[in-house]
Amino acid sequence: MFFGGSKEPESVQFGDLAAMLRGEFNRKLAKLDSRASGIVNGVESFVRDFTGACDAFRELDKEPDLEYVRATSANYIRDQKGSYSNLLSRILSSDTKVDVRYDTIYDKYYDEIQRTGSLLNDVLKANAQFKMVLDAYPNDLNRFKRSFSAIEAQWRMLKSEVEARNSDFNEYHETLGKIQALGSLLDESRVLESTVAGLEGAPRHEIREDEIDEIRKKIESVRAQEQAISAKASSVNSEISILLHTVDKPARKHDYLSLYKPKLTPLLDDPSSLRNPDRYAEFYKQIGETKDEVEKGVIAVKNVAEVRGALEQILEGRLKSMLESITELEANKVPLDSEIRDLERVRNELESQLHGNSQRESNLAEMKARAVSIKDDIQRTKAEVESLFERHYKRKLRIGF
């Protein structure tokens, strides 16, 4: 015959643990529920009485007592009395209870404490804001005071009842935290297993280093072509700058003389805008006018021969030819830029695959080691949850996954 044999652990799935914990915690708080519910009913009763007092005070048709009130008019006090009553009504109407489903009894009454405390605090703020009204009606506030004091007394009783169960709440919170930690470990373990399986099943691509070298050489060749075009465009732009700089001073004098015409100088300052046919036509017209003004001596310049030569080059189409050359060079660069981007993308992909195989093996080894470590963490945390249930709720469990 055996005496004092230990009870066999009951099996429970991990997904049912949180609900089981809430049930055990609520059973522990059964007495709190019976006591606190009566207190909450009392609070609601006194709040209704306070609301009635507020309504009665609003309707009170009585002159204010100004003996203990700083110099002011009775009409002002009456207006403030209405504002005070309206503020109290808003405070009380905002205290309307919302139908909320609480996980635990503790949560329910903790929320009641916060709600009632907020109500009391708001009323005290209103009293401080309208102290003049309270001083002017000292004999008409007894119902207010009784109701408020009763609400405050009930609130303190409710706080005392809930705070007396803080140790039970701490046990619940500790156990819930361990359950959540166990859930996080299980989630991480599942993700790791899936990732490891994916890496192990993924096909390997064998990449040769000489393939990448060929693409690198092709990139260098295309980039050399692009640089040659850029150098040529830079040379042409330099020629354009020299040509336009030569005609800059006479152009400014032309602008000064031609007060009512579009200005020539802004076109010189922005050569790229001259690719626009309309702008170039205006530019060409004014360059012709400037040349006539130089020829006739209207515009005086020191280096007449050099300026005349520059103006003639422009009028003979030299500048237009250079602008067209720049446009053509830029157009020739576009496909080269695109080709370089495509080649670099292919090179990067091949390099990634070449170096990715060894990196994948390293990552795989790290994840496998972490998976083993997580399994140990899961077993340890599982044992802690089972221990907490037995210690706090006298239930021996065997948790399954």
Side-chain angles (χ1 to χ4, degrees):
M1 182 177 293
F2 298 95
F3 297 94
S6 61
K7 184 180 178 182
E8 282 295 315
E10 57 182 305
S11 296
V12 58
Q13 290 299 303
F14 171 77
D16 299 325
L17 275 178
M20 177 183 285
L21 175 63
R22 287 193 295 271
E24 291 297 328
F25 183 44
N26 284 332
R27 271 191 286 277
K28 269 196 170 186
L29 299 186
K31 289 184 179 179
L32 169 65
D33 193 25
S34 61
R35 293 173 183 170
S37 61
I39 298 173
V40 170
N41 289 336
V43 169
E44 292 173 352
S45 174
F46 290 122
V47 167
R48 286 193 295 272
D49 190 56
F50 190 80
T51 302
C54 176
D55 294 338
F57 187 63
R58 180 190 294 104
E59 300 301 325
L60 179 66
D61 185 13
K62 180 180 177 181
E63 289 298 310
D65 183 354
L66 303 180
E67 182 178 357
Y68 299 106
V69 180
R70 66 178 183 272
T72 188
S73 69
N75 286 336
Y76 177 75
I77 293 294
R78 282 194 294 271
D79 289 341
Q80 289 293 290
K81 171 178 167 291
S83 298
Y84 173 61
S85 299
N86 291 334
L87 177 57
L88 288 181
S89 294
R90 287 197 298 274
I91 292 171
L92 292 166
S93 63
S94 67
D95 185 57
T96 305
K97 291 185 67 172
V98 179
D99 188 15
V100 177
R101 183 181 181 85
Y102 296 98
D103 285 339
T104 70
I105 292 169
Y106 188 95
D107 293 334
K108 175 183 177 181
Y109 293 112
Y110 183 84
D111 187 57
E112 289 287 348
I113 291 170
Q114 300 305 308
R115 191 171 62 84
T116 305
S118 178
L119 171 66
L120 293 171
N121 188 52
D122 289 344
V123 171
L124 290 175
K125 287 180 180 178
N127 289 348
Q129 182 180 347
F130 291 93
K131 187 175 183 301
M132 186 182 297
V133 174
L134 303 183
D135 291 340
Y137 291 91
N139 300 318
D140 303 289
L141 302 171
N142 290 334
R143 187 178 174 188
F144 269 123
K145 293 176 180 178
R146 284 195 305 271
S147 299
F148 185 85
S149 296
I151 295 170
E152 190 173 33
Q154 294 291 304
W155 174 70
R156 294 186 188 281
M157 287 173 58
L158 183 60
K159 276 189 70 178
S160 177
E161 287 289 343
V162 172
E163 288 172 356
R165 310 312 295 265
N166 278 350
S167 61
D168 293 328
F169 175 76
N170 290 336
E171 292 172 355
Y172 166 77
H173 192 262
E174 178 188 16
T175 308
L176 181 61
K178 287 296 180 183
I179 291 173
Q180 291 170 340
L182 181 56
S184 296
L185 288 170
L186 290 170
D187 289 342
E188 186 179 356
S189 178
R190 282 191 288 268
V191 170
L192 271 176
E193 287 178 0
S194 174
T195 305
V196 167
L199 286 174
E200 289 180 331
R204 295 172 61 89
H205 300 282
E206 296 299 331
I207 305 299
R208 300 194 316 275
E209 184 69 42
D210 59 345
E211 290 182 68
I212 299 175
D213 285 339
E214 289 177 10
I215 293 177
R216 290 187 186 127
K217 291 176 182 177
K218 180 63 175 175
I219 290 173
E220 291 174 4
S221 173
V222 177
R223 186 165 283 135
Q225 297 176 49
E226 182 187 50
Q227 289 170 351
I229 291 174
S230 295
K232 188 170 183 181
S234 177
S235 175
V236 175
N237 277 318
S238 179
E239 289 184 52
I240 291 173
S241 296
I242 293 171
L243 183 62
L244 295 182
H245 179 71
T246 304
V247 302
D248 182 69
K249 287 186 178 179
R252 294 183 186 280
K253 292 180 179 181
H254 168 76
D255 283 348
Y256 179 76
L257 295 172
S258 308
L259 296 178
Y260 302 104
K261 294 181 179 180
K263 300 301 181 184
L264 176 57
T265 306
L267 297 174
L268 293 177
D269 293 338
D270 184 16
S272 62
S273 69
L274 296 176
R275 298 189 206 180
N276 180 292
D278 293 336
R279 285 178 178 268
Y280 184 82
E282 177 61 34
F283 168 78
Y284 187 86
K285 174 186 174 185
Q286 292 201 51
I287 285 293
E289 293 174 359
T290 303
K291 182 174 181 296
D292 289 342
E293 290 163 351
V294 170
E295 296 285 357
K296 294 174 181 178
V298 176
I299 294 177
V301 292
K302 294 180 180 179
N303 51 339
V304 177
E306 185 181 357
V307 170
R308 185 185 296 116
L311 291 169
E312 287 175 351
Q313 284 188 58
I314 294 172
L315 293 172
E316 290 170 0
R318 174 62 178 157
L319 177 63
K320 186 175 183 181
S321 175
M322 288 191 289
L323 291 171
E324 290 172 349
S325 175
I326 291 291
T327 301
E328 182 180 355
L329 290 169
E330 290 179 350
N332 291 338
K333 275 185 66 177
V334 171
L336 296 178
D337 289 338
S338 178
E339 186 176 0
I340 288 173
R341 285 195 299 271
D342 290 341
L343 288 169
E344 287 179 336
R345 177 180 55 77
V346 174
R347 180 202 60 194
N348 292 338
E349 289 177 356
L350 292 176
E351 287 178 342
S352 177
Q353 292 176 20
L354 179 66
H355 301 296
N357 289 335
S358 60
Q359 183 63 46
R360 181 173 64 175
E361 293 301 323
S362 175
N363 292 341
L364 189 57
E366 289 179 7
M367 283 187 279
K368 285 182 175 180
R370 176 57 183 154
V372 172
S373 174
I374 285 178
K375 289 186 184 301
D376 292 339
D377 292 342
I378 287 173
Q379 292 306 313
R380 186 185 66 255
T381 308
K382 169 179 171 290
E384 289 174 348
V385 173
E386 291 170 347
S387 175
L388 289 172
F389 262 93
E390 185 171 8
R391 187 192 320 159
H392 297 324
Y393 305 107
K394 307 298 185 265
R395 294 189 70 168
K396 295 183 68 173
L397 303 179
R398 181 184 292 111
I399 301 171
F401 304 117

